Amino acid sequence: MRTLVLADSSDTLPLTDRPTADDFPPLPHGLTLSDVVAVRAHQVKLGDLVVAQFSDGTGVRPTEHVPVPFLADPHSFSDCPCEGCEECDDMDAWTLAEHSRVADVGWRFLCLAPAEDDEPCVIVLRNRPVAVIPADVVARAEEATSEPPVRTYGVMWSADFEATSPQEAARLAFEQLKSYAADGWPPELEVMDENGQMTVIDLNATAEKGEGR
């Protein structure tokens, strides 16, 4: 368990270990709770990964882990792009019950992420402590764990042969290609990517470098 602190408060925020139940998957991209910092909800930035919230009040505040951490897209309640979700409908009903609450909602609450995939908006008090992994840390981890994109390359090999016909030249080329497999001496290849960019790969040089290590 870690203890987090807010820059503007002496309250303690004990960050307990993340639950291991089936509905609490591991943090993405190899991130861990050691990457977490505590901020107020209104200080959460676009792209921060929200992993937990803390109860309102003062003193020691229990951790409320987010089952599926989400990337923050913070905005005011009035600017919510949602077309109607359970959380927003409840908030609208609360303000309709007493019109003076409209202004109260504007300065007390914000939305950390709009409704998505049948999940409602995440509406919280502006000053509520939140445990996040900063966006730049998330981006670096994602880049480090992402696999290079699969692309299509054209690989060509060329050589000159003295022959009496195209068929004989093709046969000689085939025999030479088989010799590469037999003696382990690979050819020089021309590799062209999808954009027409040509790269010459000297497999002989690559093999020599490998042997020198």
Side-chain angles (χ1 to χ4, degrees):
M1 183 178 72
R2 293 180 59 205
T3 299
L4 305 179
V5 294
L6 293 164
D8 60 353
S9 173
S10 60
D11 293 345
T12 57
L13 304 173
L15 181 64
T16 57
D17 293 339
R18 183 168 172 78
T20 57
D22 291 341
D23 53 346
F24 283 84
L27 298 181
H29 314 309
L31 294 164
T32 68
L33 294 183
S34 62
D35 300 305
V36 165
V37 297
V39 296
R40 303 280 185 186
H42 68 84
Q43 297 170 320
V44 175
K45 301 292 193 301
L46 177 67
D48 286 353
L49 186 69
V50 180
V51 301
Q53 300 183 38
F54 298 92
S55 62
D56 301 323
T58 59
V60 177
R61 307 185 186 189
T63 309
E64 298 174 11
H65 285 277
V66 177
V68 180
F70 59 89
L71 295 177
D73 180 11
H75 51 273
S76 66
F77 179 71
S78 61
D79 293 331
C80 187
C82 141
E83 297 180 356
C85 72
E86 182 180 349
E87 290 293 324
C88 289
D89 289 345
D90 287 347
M91 192 66 76
D92 287 338
W94 185 68
T95 56
L96 287 172
E98 186 175 329
H99 186 69
S100 62
R101 292 172 176 169
V102 174
D104 193 41
V105 167
W107 70 268
R108 288 187 62 201
F109 295 89
L110 59 79
C111 181
L112 287 180
E116 184 177 6
D117 298 331
D118 297 326
E119 292 294 327
C121 293
V122 182
I123 299 173
V124 298
L125 290 166
R126 289 177 54 84
N127 284 330
R128 186 171 190 179
V130 181
V132 303
I133 299 178
D136 59 335
V137 176
V138 176
R140 287 197 298 269
E142 183 177 9
E143 182 178 1
T145 56
S146 62
E147 295 182 358
V150 176
R151 303 170 61 186
T152 300
Y153 294 92
V155 181
M156 295 168 285
W157 164 79
S158 63
D160 295 327
F161 297 95
E162 293 183 356
T164 58
S165 67
Q167 290 77 10
E168 183 184 3
R171 183 182 59 78
L172 293 172
F174 180 61
E175 293 298 325
Q176 184 163 323
L177 284 172
K178 289 196 298 183
S179 72
Y180 291 140
D183 61 22
W185 189 248
E188 183 177 88
L189 300 174
E190 296 176 350
V191 181
M192 182 176 294
D193 64 19
E194 296 163 323
N195 299 317
Q197 180 68 40
M198 177 74 74
T199 303
V200 177
I201 307 295
D202 186 351
L203 294 180
N204 295 325
T206 304
E208 291 172 355
K209 288 181 181 178
E211 292 169 0
R213 276 182 256 179

